Amino acid sequence: MSTSIAEALSVGLLVLVLVGAVVRPWGWPEAVVAVPAAGLVVATGAISPAHALAEAQRLGPVIGFLAAVLVLAQLCDDEGLFQACGAWMARTSAGSPRRLLVQVFAAASVITAVLSLDATVVLLTPVVFATAARLGARPKPHLYACTHLSNTASLLLPVSNLTNLLAFAASGLSFTRFAALMVLPWLVAIGVEYVVLRRFFAADLEAGAPSPGGAGAPEMPLFALVTVAGTLAGFVLTSTVGIDPAWAALAGALVLAVRALARRRTTPAAIVRSAAVPFLAFVLALGVVVRAVVDNGLASALGHLVPHGTSLPALLGVAVLAAVLANVINNLPATLVLLPLAVPSGAGAVLAVLLGVNIGPNLTYAGSLATLLWRRIVREHDAEVGLGEFTRLGLLVVPAALTLAVVALWGSLQIVGT
């Protein structure tokens, strides 16, 4: 196949895969479109079998890690962790919508960082919806906090986001060094989000809310909390001794799974479903299709646009390019495309890509799969968020958060080093 035909085919299939992920016709899983597309780029020669296999081998450990974290998050939900979190937010907000927003920010930031953005979108958002309804507060500020923080607050740890796992693998950093470099950008970006959301939704937050009733709060599931803490410690330990942190995630998931099965709180089939196998297949297939696009000209085209080095202007240029690309082709393909181009400049450039693909998607619905999933969940609760409002908020948040987070990253690189 000629290069021009291969390029047109691979780009067309990537667009088809992304549209399928956004629209999900007839409720089909994303993999229904992505897997045949990946097979087609291999069968037609748009990508060689060797390159497709290499991409699958590169993504394999990342996908295994993601599966373990998804299972861990679902089992924490089965233990009652998110219900207890909702009760804590209702109780400590004392009927104040402004205080509830602070609690949602705290909960969403920690849950996103520790249990991944999927836990915030899928498990925390319904709890926040129910908590706002229980208090009689207008839900919109708190729901927007969930979706924005599922992206922005996923900057802290390698386990917080699939894009982080990819960047972590490419950066050559240890788990602790990654977190040390990202903690300041994480705090700065969350701070910008809070300031802007509080001003943007001032009228909603001024509306009063009654104090919560005297219904008994569920007990905090200490076993789940201890297991999560042990899993985080395992991430640090395995990274220190050179073992893939996926084994720590698997251990944490197994501990909770054995307990849940013994208490008949779940079933083996439910555990397998929580691993989201169709979504994992989608990620793998998407990686192959993106690799075909890269092999057929995109890498060379973007190579002229990616700034080199780790000076502040270079880091800002990389982050802005990543943010723009994330909103054009979604943040996961943008990560797969840009990481190989950023690696020669070092870990700082890789982390700048991460800032762009994690903060940037708050600008448009299509920026990340998490945002699309959040929108479906909101609709299931008979609520709606307008495209204009979403975009206006994004235009206020993204440029400020991205710029200040890059400055914070540059400062961290000067202090911590790589």
Side-chain angles (χ1 to χ4, degrees), residues 174-260:
S174 68
F175 188 97
T176 51
R177 181 59 61 89
F178 183 104
L181 287 170
M182 294 302 277
V183 64
L184 186 57
W186 180 71
L187 290 171
V188 167
I190 292 172
V192 172
E193 291 277 6
Y194 177 74
V195 170
V196 174
L197 261 72
R198 180 162 175 164
R199 293 291 298 272
F200 191 86
F201 293 108
D204 295 283
L205 295 172
E206 287 294 339
S211 298
E219 292 184 6
M220 184 61 69
L222 294 179
F223 187 87
L225 285 176
V226 170
T227 302
V228 170
T231 303
L232 282 175
F235 291 151
V236 176
L237 178 61
T238 53
S239 179
T240 301
V241 300
I243 299 174
D244 195 316
W247 292 107
L250 177 61
L254 285 175
V255 169
L256 286 182
V258 169
R259 174 183 169 90

Side-chain angles (χ1 to χ4, degrees), residues 179-374:
L181 287 170
M182 294 302 277
V183 64
L184 186 57
W186 180 71
L187 290 171
V188 167
I190 292 172
V192 172
E193 291 277 6
Y194 177 74
V195 170
V196 174
L197 261 72
R198 180 162 175 164
R199 293 291 298 272
F200 191 86
F201 293 108
D204 295 283
L205 295 172
E206 287 294 339
S211 298
E219 292 184 6
M220 184 61 69
L222 294 179
F223 187 87
L225 285 176
V226 170
T227 302
V228 170
T231 303
L232 282 175
F235 291 151
V236 176
L237 178 61
T238 53
S239 179
T240 301
V241 300
I243 299 174
D244 195 316
W247 292 107
L250 177 61
L254 285 175
V255 169
L256 286 182
V258 169
R259 174 183 169 90
L261 289 170
R263 296 191 168 199
R264 297 184 178 180
R265 289 181 175 174
T266 190
T267 64
I271 293 174
V272 172
R273 284 196 301 272
S274 68
V277 175
F279 181 72
L280 302 180
F282 163 75
V283 172
L284 182 59
L286 178 62
V288 173
V289 175
V290 170
R291 178 65 182 269
V293 175
V294 170
D295 286 355
N296 287 290
L298 182 60
S300 58
L302 287 175
H304 300 293
L305 299 176
V306 176
H308 300 289
T310 55
S311 65
L312 180 56
L315 293 177
L316 187 58
V318 170
V320 170
L321 178 62
V324 171
L325 196 61
N327 284 288
V328 173
I329 65 171
N330 190 265
N331 66 340
L332 181 54
T335 305
L336 293 168
V337 169
L338 290 175
L339 283 181
L341 302 175
V343 165
S345 294
V350 170
L351 297 181
V353 170
L354 196 58
L355 293 180
V357 297
N358 284 8
I359 297 173
N362 283 330
L363 187 58
T364 66
Y365 281 148
S368 73
L369 294 174
T371 303
L372 296 170
L373 181 56
W374 169 83

